[in-house]
Amino acid sequence: MTCQFRSAVVLLIFGVCLGLADRGVTDANATEVATECQQWQEVELEFTAEQETSNPYTDVEAWVDFTHDDGTIVRRQMFWDGGQTFRVRFASPLSSGRWNWKSTGGGEGSGLDGKTGSFAATQAKVDSPTDFTQHGFWSIPKGGRNLIHADGTARLLCADTAWALPWRATVDQVETYAKDRRDKGYNAALLMTVQPDLKTTGPRSRTEAEGFEVGFEDLPQGTLTKLNPGYFQTFDKLVDVLTSHGIAPVYQPVFHGYGWKGGGTAGNVVSAEDYARYCRYLVARYGARPAIWLVGGDGPAEKASIVEQLNAAGTEIEKWDAYQQPTGIHYSPHAKNRTHQDKAWLDFQWCQTGHSGEHIAERVADMWRNRPVKAVANGEPTYENIGRTGNGAGWWQGHEAWCNLTAGGTMGVVYGAGSLWQWRLDANEPGHADWCTAPGAGWREALDFEGSKYPGIAAKILEGLPLANMEPNWDCTYGRRGLLVPGKLFVLYLPEGGNSAILCRDVPRSYRVYDPKTGKVMAEGTLEDKETAQAKSDSSGEPRVLVFTAD
């Protein structure tokens, strides 16, 4: 047995059968081995199967049950990682006590069944803590509208769109990307986990023009059975970078909409069985790290075969995700945005409002009214500079973020940029349609677009506030854009500054005035203790956000 640290991930290697003598171990169960398992830090167990299988990805199902002293049981599935290697990844939700684990399954004689071990849970000891190491993973409570960490801390989603990062970006590039987005206030990134186009071709490369790496060898045939472990081993490294910067990957299995280059997306033809199996694999491989599961990607999600596919995927995620991290759907612009609204596995719904540069907050307002209650956001407003310079550019993105928030998109805000979403290598890389790229920009230039600042500033302004259960509100003012948690929080967005009458006692009396373009506090005030009181911003003509809090 060896123990080492990698990107705040504890790696425990257990020789299960073959090669044990070479390591000086006669049997995995000969002695009880204990080591630390830091809270919310991934632990990896490695197993070696005794028997070869024609297709370990599709044919082998095994898991490990982790049982804590207090009776808590966490079940984590094994995943195949090439050859006869299987792995299990686990994160302790507890900071003390002892975990005992036991493996199950794999078939008779597999060598994967009946292995045991234990380790002690401890508090996290991280040189560079993130929200996730400090507060735990996200979930969305049933009937809730917001992301809630395991310790009860509410958080506003602030997501960037880097769809093609998993199969185009290098580790060094992702380091640059993640640092920029973390510093700007982002905490999530939308990712297509594999290149989804059926007909798009190019070299297997992350550095050559029109190149991409391949996750499934048979995806061009519309099936997902020939998984490439090397692809996911590289993806692991990219995910390590993102999560170490406090950015949760939003995993979209196989896209349903335009895809990368419009080459016909596999998501529309893959069977429900293949799609659900792949979702289970993603949960096994990445579910012991911060994650959001985006089962539907950019489609109406109304065709019978897709309804079946997404339901199978959501059900499988619900079954295997021991941490119950958020699961939802991202729709196309012309969708009804309520498919699977009644499903127990569904936590959120994201609309899309197209790329014409229009502010259409009515979409999230409409989704807010759907029942049963699910979290809501605009998952794809106009990408900055997409198709033409100036489209959705600059402060347009800030205004869009605040309009969506106050209209009902209270789960959070999402940003995208032309040329960044498809990870265009440089401004001259061929093969990308003009309508979906930013003129004169590759991914690196797009990273610096002005508008990328403003969603993150919104998240920073709302950081640490009691966001859970905030609702759109127009009746505490004369119809201004607001968000209310009665007696605790009121957020008022004034697109052109000015003053506003406050008409109800549910609004706390103390407030701060923020410049949403910089995040700076411009003024503070206290409402008079009467039914109608005036809240004053320091501006006429410039946007302001007033945040009223009880303390």
Side-chain angles (χ1 to χ4, degrees), residues 48-71:
T48 305
E50 290 180 349
Q51 297 178 340
E52 291 188 0
T53 306
S54 60
N55 190 339
Y57 169 66
T58 60
D59 298 344
V60 177
E61 183 170 323
W63 60 89
V64 172
D65 286 325
F66 298 84
T67 303
H68 192 265
D69 293 341
D70 69 1

Side-chain angles (χ1 to χ4, degrees), residues 6-62:
R6 178 176 59 85
S7 299
V9 176
V10 181
L11 177 61
L12 306 177
I13 303 177
F14 289 84
V16 174
C17 48
L18 302 180
L20 293 176
D22 294 338
R23 301 186 203 175
V25 180
T26 58
D27 185 89
N29 300 321
T31 60
E32 182 180 90
V33 180
T35 187
E36 286 188 351
C37 175
Q38 296 179 30
Q39 187 179 29
W40 301 117
Q41 301 296 291
E42 183 183 274
V43 174
E44 182 176 282
L45 308 180
E46 180 180 303
F47 300 84
T48 305
E50 290 180 349
Q51 297 178 340
E52 291 188 0
T53 306
S54 60
N55 190 339
Y57 169 66
T58 60
D59 298 344
V60 177
E61 183 170 323

Side-chain angles (χ1 to χ4, degrees), residues 8 38-41 123-130 133-134 244:
Q38 296 179 30
Q39 187 179 29
W40 301 117
Q41 301 296 291
Q123 293 183 343
K125 306 166 188 174
V126 185
D127 292 336
S128 300
T130 69
T133 61
Q134 291 180 309
S244 70

Side-chain angles (χ1 to χ4, degrees), residues 163-222:
W163 287 128
L165 179 153
W167 25 277
R168 297 218 83 195
T170 66
V171 171
D172 287 344
Q173 290 171 349
V174 177
E175 287 278 2
T176 299
Y177 168 82
K179 183 179 185 303
D180 178 272
R181 285 328 195 217
R182 176 200 62 194
D183 292 349
K184 286 177 178 172
Y186 290 84
N187 53 26
L190 278 61
L191 308 175
M192 298 182 192
T193 60
V194 293
Q195 196 287 105
D197 293 3
L198 295 163
K199 300 177 182 178
T200 296
T201 59
R204 291 199 178 190
S205 172
R206 295 174 182 269
T207 57
E208 296 180 64
E210 301 190 72
F212 60 93
E213 296 290 354
V214 175
F216 283 91
E217 301 295 340
D218 56 337
L219 183 145
Q221 288 75 55

Side-chain angles (χ1 to χ4, degrees), residues 504-527:
C504 65
R505 296 277 189 176
D506 285 338
V507 175
R509 300 291 97 181
S510 298
Y511 66 93
R512 287 183 172 182
V513 180
Y514 290 87
D515 180 348
K517 292 184 177 181
T518 66
K520 292 182 179 179
V521 177
M522 307 304 292
E524 297 185 359
T526 302
L527 295 175

Side-chain angles (χ1 to χ4, degrees), residues 243-412:
T243 56
S244 70
H245 286 78
I247 296 174
V250 180
Y251 296 98
Q252 206 298 308
V254 188
F255 221 57
H256 298 86
Y258 178 75
W260 184 35
K261 294 186 176 181
T265 45
N268 290 306
V269 298
V270 168
S271 70
E273 180 183 9
D274 279 6
Y275 200 82
R277 182 194 302 114
Y278 180 43
C279 288
R280 185 169 70 241
Y281 184 86
L282 290 173
V283 172
R285 188 159 199 135
Y286 300 110
R289 309 176 184 189
I292 292 178
W293 314 112
L294 194 62
V295 295
D298 192 16
E302 295 171 8
K303 185 179 177 181
S305 61
I306 303 301
V307 170
E308 177 190 7
Q309 178 200 76
L310 299 190
N311 189 52
T315 300
E316 201 70 1
I317 291 171
E318 182 86 356
K319 175 182 176 181
W320 286 103
D321 181 9
Y323 307 103
Q324 297 298 288
Q325 299 195 76
T327 304
I329 297 176
H330 168 290
Y331 292 96
S332 59
H334 59 292
K336 295 178 181 178
N337 304 332
R338 57 177 179 266
T339 307
H340 298 106
Q341 187 80 22
D342 62 343
K343 296 296 189 296
W345 55 262
L346 185 79
D347 298 311
F348 66 85
Q349 303 270 45
W350 288 355
C351 70
Q352 176 188 167
T353 48
H355 296 284
S356 61
E358 293 183 76
H359 298 292
I360 314 176
E362 299 94 320
R363 299 307 300 276
V364 292
D366 178 66
M367 294 166 69
W368 174 273
R369 291 186 283 267
N370 290 338
R371 294 293 184 272
V373 166
K374 306 292 179 180
V376 172
N378 184 350
E380 192 170 329
T382 297
Y383 291 168
E384 188 164 13
N385 291 318
I386 190 170
R388 60 178 175 83
T389 301
N391 188 23
W395 175 244
W396 188 98
Q397 295 291 338
H399 182 62
E400 174 75 0
W402 286 105
C403 286
N404 282 317
L405 277 171
T406 53
T410 56
M411 181 179 175

